[in-house]
Amino acid sequence: MTVHFIGAGPGDPDLITVKGLKLIQSCRTCLYAGSLVPPAIIEAASDDARIVDTAPLALDEIIAEMVAANARGEDVARVHSGDPSLYGAIAEQIRRLDDLGIDWDITPGVPAFAAAAAALGKELTVPEVAQTVILTRTSMKASAMPEGEDLETIGKTGATLAIHLSVRNLREIEAKLIPLYGADCPAIIAYRVGWPDEAFLHGTLSDIRQKARDAKITRTALILVGPALSAGGFRDSALYDSSHAHVLRHAGKKV
């Protein structure tokens, strides 16, 4: 028996991996975060599967479902939104399963920041503008941020920021990042990416908070910040430059 942690993607049922979908179809027990995982994905489970929405459950209750499935000799599809490696709370589940001697594996999914960039038609790493993407969040009611991972420190990089779980903390984001990125730095709020009601608010660090308030967005949103979001006069990358030689192409070689 194995617990399969599966990334369901950000919302669009078509963005789940083939492997992840097959596991949902084959497992006799399916545990999913109902507030974040589209019902269409869970509908792929077999008619006789035990399906449990874990949104109202505590960790001990979730583990109890896994233990019960193990006793029945059933594999478990543990379905998370996005990619399980990002704010998926899988580490604490895995720790419990290791203590119980229950096997597990992980099937990755499409993360929200990648789906948002695709929907926006943006490349988050633009030559000589930004070559780094930092995935982070701010400290609110959840666990505190580790030392050195505050916005003031991260913002000094000038990287493209993908700020999770923080749409209700835009006042702090504005205050901490404007001195580093400038008031006119592009900022985008990506709301429920991949869902039928997905929405994108385009603004700057100086006005994105008011736009979020006007749109009444208070949850399930990702904040993107950085000059790469509006870069237009950047140079072409060296990747396809005819003068740039690499192991598969000689400099100046004509096609």
Side-chain angles (χ1 to χ4, degrees), residues 63-64 66-67 70 93-103:
I63 298 300
M66 297 175 179
V67 171
N70 183 64
Q93 297 174 71
I94 289 171
R95 180 168 58 190
R96 300 287 188 95
L97 294 176
D98 283 343
D99 290 343
L100 293 166
I102 296 176
D103 293 335

Side-chain angles (χ1 to χ4, degrees), residues 40-186:
I41 291 178
I42 306 307
E43 289 172 2
S46 63
D47 293 338
D48 60 349
R50 174 171 172 74
I51 300 175
V52 179
D53 180 359
T54 61
L57 303 184
L59 177 59
D60 286 344
E61 295 171 301
I62 295 170
I63 298 300
E65 288 285 348
M66 297 175 179
V67 171
N70 183 64
R72 296 190 297 267
E74 298 175 0
D75 282 358
V76 175
R78 176 59 172 126
V79 187
H80 284 262
S81 62
D83 182 84
S85 68
L86 297 175
Y87 308 110
I90 63 170
E92 59 202 49
Q93 297 174 71
I94 289 171
R95 180 168 58 190
R96 300 287 188 95
L97 294 176
D98 283 343
D99 290 343
L100 293 166
I102 296 176
D103 293 335
W104 54 269
D105 59 29
I106 301 172
T107 298
V110 176
F113 80 92
L120 290 164
K122 299 289 185 182
E123 184 172 2
L124 303 181
T125 54
V126 177
E128 298 183 357
V129 176
Q131 290 292 284
T132 301
V133 178
I134 297 178
L135 314 177
T136 189
R137 68 171 179 83
T138 60
S139 181
M140 294 182 69
K141 292 183 179 180
S143 56
M145 294 296 288
E147 184 177 354
E149 293 189 19
D150 53 277
L151 287 178
E152 296 97 326
T153 301
I154 290 174
K156 291 177 182 177
T157 63
T160 302
L161 304 183
I163 308 174
H164 295 72
L165 308 170
S166 301
V167 74
R168 288 186 289 178
N169 210 16
L170 284 167
R171 184 184 298 275
E172 178 183 345
I173 291 171
E174 175 187 297
K176 299 294 177 61
L177 293 183
I178 283 180
L180 299 167
Y181 284 78
D184 292 333
C185 179

Side-chain angles (χ1 to χ4, degrees), residues 235 237-254:
R235 56 153 287 183
S237 71
L239 180 61
Y240 300 114
D241 191 323
S242 61
S243 65
H244 178 69
H246 55 66
V247 67
L248 297 178
R249 185 182 66 229
H250 299 293
K253 180 179 179 181
K254 294 183 179 180

Side-chain angles (χ1 to χ4, degrees), residues 209-226:
R209 177 165 61 93
Q210 186 60 50
K211 291 187 176 185
R213 175 182 289 185
D214 294 342
K216 296 182 171 56
I217 293 178
T218 59
R219 63 187 301 271
T220 327
L222 172 71
I223 305 158
L224 298 173
V225 176

